Amino acid sequence: SSLILLVCGLSMAQTNELRRLSIIPVSPPSEGIPVFRDYPDKAALIIYSSLSNLAFDSNMGGIVDQRSETARGRYILIIEPFTQIMQVNAPGFMTGRFRVAAPQARDVLYFEINPKEQKENLIPVIFNVQPDNTRLYVDDQLTEINRIVQLEPGLKKIRLEREGFRALKDTLLVSPQNNQFSYQLEEVDIARVKIKTRPPGALVRIDGINEGATDRSGLIGFFRMPGHYLVEVSLNGYVSKQRVIEVREDHLNSFHFELERNAGFMELSVKPEDALVLINRREYDSSRILELSPGLYRLEVTREGYDDHREDIRILRNQTVQHTIVLNRQKGGFRFSVAPTTAKVVLADTSGREIKRWTGLNEFFEVGTGRYHLTVQEQGYEKHTEWVRIAKDSMIEIRVELKTKRIEESDWVQEGTPVISGCGADLLDIDGNSYETIQIGNQCWMAENLRTGRYRNGERIPNVTSSRRWRLLSAGAWVHYQNDSKHDTTYGRLYNWYALSDSRGLCPPGWRVPSNSDWAVLINYIHRASGTVVNRSASSSYAIGGMMKEPGIQLWKSPNSGASNKSGFSGLPGGYRDDTGSFSNLGNMGYWWSSNRILGSTASMYTLSYRNGVLNSYGINTRSGLSVRCIRD
């Protein structure tokens, strides 16, 4: 039989019963909601109690952290955001339980746990139940089994449940003479269960146990004993769902879960359009609608010569944030004079775009801040070029006197370039790293990025992994991209400018870090060899980058436009580390130092991009980490 009922009186030794706990939810206190910065994706329980020795557990193992603040009479539990039964233990008290129903991340729930008031007319009762871990409900209240409990006299509705056993219901009378009861549940056979999800491929967990993912049709099947189970269905990019299912004997146990996209959208309009857009320090294309997980994001929009824009934007599920950002142009003053006064003057930006052209002795005007290339020329005189930096709210004065032109040998590399002895053979640095070399015109270059960790004299170059230390450096240092040595062989190491300008020497003996003049000779040779012409009015941007890039998209991001590597330079996208210590653009861009310092904390660099076949030259903070190619003396 499924029911065995024994009725007898409890002995005096059995009446040494445990007290009960009162567990009730309460409203948040007026002191405000606390912030748990270390657990942004968790929920929290704050429990107030007059008891100083409470211990907590979860049937789902969902407690991440717990703290006791006995002086304030409270306990703090950090929990996973899913439905679970919390268990409370205290010496001298029956185990208390309460249910936390599907909290969200960052939710804070409040409870009070105190000794329950004793009623004088309560009767000590014991329920002897087999098997163990059966759930006993007396008038729908979860009650301890196999231990003495206190109940009011009268008729009681009894319900017993346990997975794998047939549920049992009963009605009984509790009195001083009728206070001990025994039950044994009957086992049942396992039942087939089917879970269907849309979309398919969702991960299914039953009471915290991973059952696998649904197939292409969205189905997964398994067997379970009859009973109640907590099912959690999750899929990357969708909102997870939880539901308690009841598995029945001899029943079609089929359950359907429809998942919703866990995403919001951001639509940006940015002026100027070529401004760099960063969301949580990652670069994004502002020309398309961005799909983001719900949450708070740090938006940064920057461009040289403009005031930076920074703000926090909250993305909500199934909502689109439309945002227009117009950067303010920074300006400075420019005063110029030239002799002879008939000279033609052109001021261009770093992309080669002409900003202003004029002829004359003296000119004053406002211009946006940034780096500009100044070209001054007149027939019969040598052409004058230089880089000019316009600072915010300041004025720069420049006077140019052109020199009479002399007939000299062309700057171009001539036909019949002599072979450089030994160029093409492998080169070893002080650490024993081997590098391929390549002759390009009259120069001998490394065909790989530098990987040494020591100066030429054998002294160690510090490897600075900390972002905080990196941004404070004023001495040489190197780093692996993202502090991961797996990038070393392919892309080499990243060095700040102080390492290459150190008197102990960064390159092997007989080699040096190339200057702007060395880069200019390389650029002129590739132009001449390829039959193209240098754009003298835009000398910071050269249409030869494709001939300097390793072809294909195994190491470069697609489309790696124009890549042919005809020069043999074999440029790779090693990315960089900026002066704040952040890494970016591995696979997208390659950055190489020049030994020339421009002004203050700015030095020259040369870049290649997957987007186009252009070699660009810019200025960058000397604390940045870039790749290094050495050239033979």
Side-chain angles (χ1 to χ4, degrees):
S1 173
S2 62
L3 171 61
I4 300 175
L5 176 61
L6 302 177
V7 181
C8 62
L10 292 175
S11 68
M12 291 301 292
Q14 291 174 304
T15 59
N16 186 21
E17 72 278 358
L18 299 174
R19 297 178 64 188
R20 287 191 170 197
L21 293 171
S22 169
I23 306 174
I24 58 172
V26 295
S27 300
S30 59
E31 62 193 41
I33 299 175
V35 177
F36 302 102
R37 291 189 174 85
D38 294 337
Y39 302 99
D41 58 341
K42 309 299 180 187
L45 304 181
I46 296 184
I47 298 166
Y48 293 92
S49 178
S50 59
L51 301 171
S52 60
N53 51 4
L54 297 182
F56 299 89
D57 199 0
S58 165
N59 71 322
M60 301 289 289
I63 298 178
V64 178
D65 189 13
Q66 52 183 313
R67 312 165 195 167
S68 299
E69 297 180 351
T70 53
R72 301 182 63 178
R74 73 176 187 178
Y75 300 81
I76 298 175
L77 305 184
I78 307 299
I79 64 171
E80 297 287 357
F82 51 66
T83 299
Q84 52 193 301
I85 303 296
M86 309 305 298
Q87 181 172 292
V88 189
N89 292 293
F93 291 85
M94 294 171 54
T95 298
R97 295 180 177 87
F98 62 98
R99 185 170 181 262
V100 180
Q104 301 296 312
R106 298 178 182 269
D107 277 356
V108 181
L109 307 176
Y110 295 81
F111 292 87
E112 278 188 2
I113 300 178
N114 288 303
K116 194 169 186 177
E117 293 182 6
Q118 300 281 14
K119 295 184 178 180
E120 294 181 0
N121 63 340
L122 295 181
I123 296 175
V125 178
I126 187 167
F127 293 91
N128 298 309
V129 179
Q130 291 297 326
D132 292 336
N133 299 325
T134 297
R135 293 186 296 277
L136 167 66
Y137 297 89
V138 178
D139 290 339
D140 293 325
Q141 295 294 316
L142 187 64
T143 305
E144 296 275 351
I145 65 172
N146 303 325
R147 299 178 69 172
I148 295 174
V149 296
Q150 298 285 341
L151 296 179
E152 294 180 354
L155 284 175
K156 306 294 179 184
K157 291 182 178 180
I158 304 298
R159 187 172 83 254
L160 296 108
E161 297 176 349
R162 189 182 191 279
E163 286 71 23
F165 293 81
R166 187 168 285 109
L168 186 151
K169 294 182 180 180
D170 191 19
T171 302
L172 52 82
L173 176 66
V174 172
S175 68
Q177 296 77 31
N178 196 35
N179 58 5
Q180 185 168 345
F181 310 93
S182 296
Y183 296 93
Q184 184 163 348
L185 300 188
E186 180 183 354
E187 289 191 68
V188 296
D189 293 333
I190 60 175
R192 176 77 173 176
V193 181
K194 290 183 179 179
I195 302 289
K196 184 175 179 63
T197 68
R198 194 168 68 173
L203 180 67
V204 178
R205 296 172 67 88
I206 308 295
D207 284 349
I209 299 174
N210 187 357
E211 291 292 339
T214 57
D215 60 19
R216 292 183 179 180
S217 64
L219 281 173
I220 187 172
F222 45 86
F223 291 91
R224 279 292 187 278
M225 291 288 187
H228 291 84
Y229 298 90
L230 176 65
V231 179
E232 181 182 9
V233 179
S234 59
L235 180 63
N236 189 31
Y238 290 80
V239 180
S240 298
K241 278 197 172 180
Q242 289 183 340
R243 193 165 86 209
V244 175
I245 63 171
E246 182 182 4
V247 177
R248 299 183 185 178
E249 188 179 8
D250 300 326
H251 192 271
L252 180 61
N253 297 294
S254 183
F255 306 93
H256 183 261
F257 288 81
E258 187 89 17
L259 299 181
E260 298 179 6
R261 287 286 296 171
N262 186 31
F265 304 91
M266 184 188 298
E267 186 175 359
L268 294 175
S269 175
V270 176
K271 299 293 181 183
E273 294 180 352
D274 61 346
L276 176 65
V277 177
L278 300 175
I279 299 177
N280 286 358
R281 304 293 293 174
R282 291 183 59 187
E283 183 176 354
Y284 276 81
D285 182 0
S286 61
S287 65
R288 60 183 178 87
I289 296 178
L290 308 176
E291 181 177 318
L292 301 167
S293 298
L296 189 65
Y297 291 85
R298 183 62 169 173
L299 173 65
E300 300 174 83
V301 183
T302 63
R303 190 186 187 283
E304 185 178 8
Y306 291 79
D307 290 332
D308 294 344
H309 177 90
R310 294 181 175 88
E311 65 174 305
D312 292 327
I313 293 183
R314 184 170 293 281
I315 300 297
L316 302 177
R317 184 159 57 91
N318 295 330
Q319 294 188 18
T320 299
V321 175
Q322 294 179 317
H323 205 41
T324 299
I325 299 170
V326 180
L327 298 184
N328 295 320
R329 189 72 162 101
Q330 298 172 347
K331 291 185 177 181
F334 184 84
R335 186 181 296 280
F336 177 82
S337 60
V338 62
T341 58
T342 56
K344 281 83 175 169
V345 187
V346 175
L347 190 68
D349 63 16
T350 55
S351 69
R353 182 173 61 91
E354 185 176 301
I355 301 299
K356 191 172 181 65
R357 177 187 293 266
W358 71 92
T359 303
L361 173 65
N362 199 349
E363 185 79 13
F364 171 77
F365 54 89
E366 262 195 341
V367 64
T369 61
R371 190 165 173 256
Y372 295 89
H373 191 258
L374 179 69
T375 304
V376 185
Q377 54 188 341
E378 178 60 286
Q379 188 173 3
Y381 293 85
E382 292 183 6
K383 182 170 67 174
H384 173 87
T385 63
E386 67 175 292
W387 287 100
V388 176
R389 179 168 293 277
I390 305 299
K392 183 179 179 181
D393 299 329
S394 63
M395 184 181 70
I396 185 172
E397 296 191 35
I398 294 180
R399 175 172 177 78
V400 175
E401 294 185 8
L402 296 182
K403 297 179 181 178
T404 303
K405 190 172 185 179
R406 294 174 295 178
I407 300 176
E408 294 180 348
E409 187 177 0
S410 171
D411 292 332
W412 296 108
V413 176
Q414 301 299 312
E415 298 291 334
T417 300
V419 175
I420 300 176
S421 175
C423 195
D426 284 356
L427 169 69
L428 294 179
D429 65 22
I430 193 168
D431 287 334
N433 297 308
S434 177
Y435 305 86
E436 292 183 6
T437 60
I438 181 74
Q439 181 174 342
I440 307 175
N442 286 325
Q443 296 173 313
C444 186
W445 288 79
M446 278 185 178
E448 304 174 57
N449 293 342
L450 192 65
R451 302 189 297 275
T452 186
R454 289 187 292 166
Y455 290 112
R456 186 185 303 167
N457 67 354
E459 293 182 30
R460 186 178 65 86
I461 307 170
N463 173 211
V464 179
T465 59
S466 163
S467 296
R468 184 183 64 82
R469 286 188 57 205
W470 182 271
R471 60 175 172 259
L472 298 175
L473 287 171
S474 59
W478 68 269
V479 71
H480 293 298
Y481 187 91
Q482 292 288 21
N483 294 316
D484 192 340
S485 61
K486 72 180 180 183
H487 302 301
D488 193 301
T489 302
T490 302
Y491 299 109
R493 300 177 180 181
L494 304 177
Y495 302 83
N496 63 12
W497 187 84
Y498 302 104
L500 60 101
S501 64
D502 194 285
S503 61
R504 290 171 285 186
L506 184 63
C507 293
W511 294 72
R512 68 177 184 275
V513 177
S515 65
N516 285 345
S517 297
D518 295 321
W519 283 97
V521 171
L522 174 70
I523 292 164
N524 283 344
Y525 176 79
I526 297 174
H527 268 295
R528 182 170 176 79
S530 63
T532 61
V533 177
V534 177
N535 183 353
R536 295 292 189 172
S537 66
S539 58
S540 65
S541 182
Y542 309 94
I544 60 169
M547 289 175 264
M548 299 177 66
K549 290 193 295 180
E550 189 77 23
I553 56 174
Q554 289 184 331
L555 298 175
W556 280 95
K557 181 179 178 181
S558 179
N560 194 17
S561 296
S564 67
N565 199 33
K566 288 182 179 179
S567 69
F569 185 83
S570 303
L572 291 176
Y576 83 118
R577 190 182 201 184
D578 68 21
D579 56 322
T580 70
S582 298
F583 297 91
S584 62
N585 279 338
L586 183 73
N588 294 345
M589 295 187 67
Y591 303 78
W592 291 273
W593 279 117
S594 163
S595 61
N596 287 85
R597 195 167 190 159
I598 299 173
L599 182 66
S601 61
T602 305
S604 294
M605 70 169 178
Y606 292 79
T607 70
L608 295 171
S609 170
Y610 76 96
R611 295 177 183 269
N612 52 52
V614 175
L615 173 71
N616 284 302
S617 175
Y618 302 104
I620 193 169
N621 193 288
T622 50
R623 290 192 177 94
S624 303
L626 312 183
S627 300
V628 170
R629 287 291 183 93
C630 298
I631 185 173
R632 202 160 89 174
D633 290 336

